[in-house]
Amino acid sequence: MRDLSRRQAILGLGAFTLVLAGCGEDEAPKKAADVSANKAGAMAGYSAGQQFKATEPVSFDVLYNNHPVYPLKDDWLFWQELTKRTNVTLKPVAVPLSDYEKKRGLLVGSGQAPLIIPKTYHPSEEAFVSSGAILPVSDYLDLMPNFKDKVAKWKLEPELDTLRQSDGRFYLLPGLHEAAWADYSLAIRTDILEKLGLKVPTTWDELYTVLKAMKKEYPDLYPMTDRWGVPTPGGNLLKLVAQAYGAKGGWEYQHATWDSAAGKFAYTGAMPGYKQMIEYLRKLVDEKLLDPESFTQQDEQAKQKFNSGKSFVISTNAQTMVNDYRPTLEKTVEGAKIVKIPVPMGPVGDYKIATRLENGVMISKKALESKNFVAMMQFIDWLYYSDQGQEFAKWGVEGTTFTKDANGDYKLAKDVDFVGLNPGVPKHLQKDFGFHNGVFAYGGTTKLLQSTFSEEEKEFQNVMNTRKPWPVEPPRPFTDEEREQVSLWETPLKDHVTQNTLKFILGERDLSEWDAYVKELEAKNSTSYVNLVNGAYERFKKEHG
């Protein structure tokens, strides 16, 4: 990790100081708006660890990502208790999960977005920076004592740097974790491993050997099929394999990847590590070890194949193990046993490639027109960043949905289930109460994070936590002009990388054409793109340390 720069070290001195530090020598300082007239409902002297409660009833509209597993209900205890504790009423503007990204972009771009815009993954906020549609939230950190406290306590400044734009500010309030953690990996049928006398694979080479043995025993089946291929082909699988070779793929794909050996960014889709990912997956497909439909099939198709015993390996996370696989598999295939394996390792070694930041909240520029702006920022600070707010969003109401023992360990109420902790009981923490909702519940201490983990998941985390954290990439924000330029390049480049990645993996294009593919990327401005990235990196390093 890099040493703290001068600008990072003064983070706690206030938003105005931070903004001054975010300006180059030839730039005029960017000033936060004067919000002294926008304090209606705000608490005087609000501080970290204090229960926020507006001094008068206030309400804020919030963009709501409506999840099909726990669809929005107006009578959730979450809404009632939140108002009781904070004097704030949230008015959700519901958008289906499947349409959330697109709808959010339309609403923000047209100026019709709610004031609070959660569930935003970096760098998608960058599309709205130059228009001024969203606030530079780093200007207003003095209104958020819990946020500042956790950043300082957990030394999160390097991670926050990755969110900064060319003006030194950031425009997204991310979820903050005490420690990096990984959730997504592969599920594997351990009863099949036992039958064949095989061990759980720890590397991608060992997984190849396991799949070969499975194929030999079951020649008519694909040993592995996969899910999460729509809308991003091979979303999780490409991500995991690419990480093993030091690249970014699938869900994690970005056009530029930091090359620490070279001390500069490289174009991801042309990197040797990206090619190695393709070569590995091509080998699995060629040898009929991996179902070629894995990259484009709907999740239901993938689950049906795995849960009926027609395949033995599939992508997973903690919740899908409990909700999507184990209950059905145990009913349909006698003696079936599965485990979520630690992410297989590759040439880069025993690294845990995960971040301590999570999706976050954008604030509409319209919020500055509200007389309750300061109260709103205090409320967001309490709900998303205070220990009390994070516990409430995740677990609910003590004595109703959970209890806590003398050691501070959580336990669900006897009639409430979540991720199979209380199977067969009548109520569900998300569906019936609205808690542990992805719009509001993320971030926090490792103890809180792991409080809903099963013993099996804790074992997975214990293995992953022995691995070294992947270094944080240095910031390289574009100017407005550069952002406008690269926006013309990004879609054609991404489409070409995605299409040809699949062609190479599926054998529709021979790998001998790799150099020709790289030249095709160059014709679509990949070299110009990465040159702009490296120029932005050098400029930011010079101006901000």
Side-chain angles (χ1 to χ4, degrees):
M1 251 188 219
R2 296 168 292 128
D3 293 333
L4 296 187
S5 67
R6 179 180 64 85
R7 182 182 50 73
Q8 293 166 341
I10 61 175
L11 175 66
L13 298 182
F16 182 65
T17 309
L18 205 161
V19 170
L20 285 176
C23 299
E25 292 179 3
D26 299 327
E27 299 177 50
K30 306 272 188 175
K31 292 185 178 181
D34 180 3
V35 295
S36 57
N38 304 75
K39 293 183 177 180
M43 292 177 62
Y46 170 65
S47 60
Q50 184 178 7
Q51 171 65 51
F52 168 78
K53 189 161 188 177
T55 58
E56 60 185 55
V58 295
S59 65
F60 306 114
D61 51 358
V62 57
L63 195 62
Y64 184 85
N65 187 1
N66 202 2
H67 201 294
V69 173
Y70 46 94
L72 174 66
K73 293 181 181 177
D74 293 336
D75 63 351
W76 274 340
L77 180 60
F78 174 85
W79 307 118
Q80 301 164 19
E81 187 68 22
L82 184 68
T83 300
K84 178 181 174 183
R85 295 189 185 193
T86 65
N87 218 7
V88 172
T89 300
L90 286 181
K91 297 180 178 179
V93 177
V95 175
L97 180 148
S98 60
D99 200 33
Y100 190 76
E101 295 270 335
K102 181 179 180 181
K103 185 69 172 176
R104 183 190 60 206
L106 292 173
L107 288 170
V108 175
S110 66
Q112 301 302 308
L115 299 186
I116 303 172
I117 311 165
K119 209 68 180 173
T120 299
Y121 289 85
H122 176 73
S124 53
E125 82 280 8
E126 293 179 354
F128 313 114
V129 169
S130 60
S131 68
I134 57 174
L135 289 186
V137 287
S138 56
D139 285 2
Y140 304 98
L141 296 186
D142 278 350
L143 306 178
M144 307 186 70
N146 288 291
F147 181 94
K148 288 175 63 175
D149 178 64
K150 283 182 166 53
V151 168
K153 187 163 50 180
W154 296 342
K155 297 180 172 59
L156 284 162
E157 295 90 347
E159 280 91 339
L160 285 184
D161 266 355
T162 65
L163 304 181
R164 295 188 188 278
Q165 301 303 305
S166 57
D167 59 5
R169 299 152 143 182
F170 55 87
Y171 291 72
L172 180 73
L173 290 168
L176 307 176
H177 283 283
E178 181 179 11
W181 69 290
D183 185 12
Y184 288 80
S185 186
L186 301 176
I188 194 165
R189 284 275 299 278
T190 51
D191 58 305
I192 301 296
L193 294 181
E194 291 167 6
K195 177 181 176 180
L196 301 178
L198 301 168
K199 295 181 179 180
V200 170
T202 60
T203 67
W204 292 102
D205 286 344
E206 289 178 8
L207 177 67
Y208 168 73
T209 301
V210 164
L211 294 174
K212 289 275 285 186
M214 289 175 167
K215 183 69 177 180
K216 183 178 181 181
E217 182 72 15
Y218 302 93
D220 296 331
L221 301 179
Y222 288 108
M224 180 175 180
T225 196
D226 210 30
R227 64 182 300 179
W228 293 320
V230 179
T232 305
N236 182 57
L237 183 59
L238 266 64
K239 179 191 83 166
L240 296 181
V241 179
Q243 288 178 351
Y245 294 99
K248 297 172 185 170
W251 286 334
E252 278 188 341
Y253 185 84
Q254 293 185 31
H255 292 284
T257 297
W258 177 248
D259 183 339
S260 56
K264 61 182 180 180
F265 285 89
Y267 189 78
T268 304
M271 289 177 67
Y274 195 84
K275 182 184 180 185
Q276 289 175 299
M277 171 204 74
I278 288 174
E279 289 172 332
Y280 178 84
L281 293 171
R282 170 71 172 267
K283 179 171 66 172
L284 297 191
V285 171
D286 279 351
E287 298 184 25
K288 295 181 167 49
L289 307 179
L290 173 63
D291 181 357
E293 294 181 351
S294 294
F295 303 95
T296 53
Q297 67 188 347
Q298 297 290 332
D299 281 6
E300 286 304 317
Q301 291 175 274
K303 289 190 292 183
Q304 194 279 330
K305 292 174 183 178
F306 184 76
N307 288 337
S308 63
K310 294 179 180 177
S311 68
F312 312 123
V313 183
I314 192 170
S315 281
T316 192
N317 60 24
Q319 289 199 43
T320 56
M321 284 283 290
V322 175
N323 296 330
D324 291 352
Y325 306 145
R326 187 167 283 140
T328 305
L329 187 62
E330 290 177 350
K331 291 176 184 176
T332 56
V333 181
E334 185 177 354
K337 295 186 293 183
I338 58 172
V339 69
K340 173 184 166 186
I341 67 173
V343 177
M345 294 178 288
V348 300
D350 58 343
Y351 278 98
K352 175 173 63 174
I353 303 180
T355 178
R356 293 193 291 166
L357 303 187
E358 203 165 338
N359 68 82
V361 179
M362 296 188 296
I363 306 295
S364 169
K365 68 174 182 180
K366 295 185 300 182
L368 283 177
E369 301 168 10
S370 169
K371 65 178 182 178
N372 304 123
F373 175 75
V374 173
M376 185 188 77
M377 297 302 289
Q378 292 177 344
F379 166 75
I380 290 171
D381 179 66
W382 178 84
L383 179 59
Y384 286 98
Y385 302 106
S386 75
D387 292 342
Q388 308 99 307
Q390 290 171 339
E391 177 187 87
F392 166 73
K394 187 160 190 165
W395 278 95
V397 179
E398 190 168 5
T400 301
T401 58
F402 77 97
T403 57
K404 200 158 55 167
D405 64 21
N407 296 321
D409 295 326
Y410 298 85
K411 187 174 182 180
L412 281 171
K414 293 181 180 179
D415 60 345
V416 179
D417 183 31
F418 176 66
V419 293
L421 295 175
N422 277 342
V425 299
K427 299 175 184 176
H428 192 275
L429 188 65
Q430 293 171 309
K431 299 175 185 177
D432 297 307
F433 296 97
F435 298 108
H436 213 290
N437 186 320
V439 177
F440 305 112
Y442 47 80
T445 64
T446 299
K447 181 180 178 66
L448 182 67
L449 170 70
Q450 297 188 354
S451 62
T452 55
F453 287 177
S454 64
E455 290 305 314
E456 176 185 25
E457 179 63 18
K458 288 176 183 176
E459 289 178 14
F460 170 87
Q461 294 296 334
N462 287 340
V463 173
M464 295 301 296
N465 287 340
T466 65
R467 301 183 183 181
K468 301 183 289 287
W470 192 256
V472 178
E473 288 194 346
R476 33 83 171 185
F478 292 128
T479 64
D480 290 347
E481 293 77 13
E482 289 168 342
R483 165 56 54 195
E484 185 176 351
Q485 176 62 71
V486 299
S487 68
L488 300 176
W489 297 338
E490 286 177 332
T491 298
L493 280 168
K494 179 72 177 292
D495 288 346
H496 198 69
V497 170
T498 300
Q499 292 164 10
N500 284 276
T501 297
L502 278 184
K503 286 180 179 179
F504 283 129
I505 290 172
L506 297 177
E508 296 170 4
R509 187 171 188 181
D510 195 270
L511 279 162
S512 63
E513 295 185 32
W514 178 262
D515 290 344
Y517 154 75
V518 172
K519 285 185 170 58
E520 291 160 10
L521 290 176
E522 290 170 353
K524 295 180 182 295
N525 299 295
S526 64
T527 301
S528 298
Y529 185 100
V530 84
N531 285 343
L532 272 186
V533 169
N534 282 312
Y537 158 67
E538 293 291 347
R539 178 179 62 237
F540 193 90
K541 182 173 67 170
K542 178 182 177 181
E543 293 179 354
H544 304 293

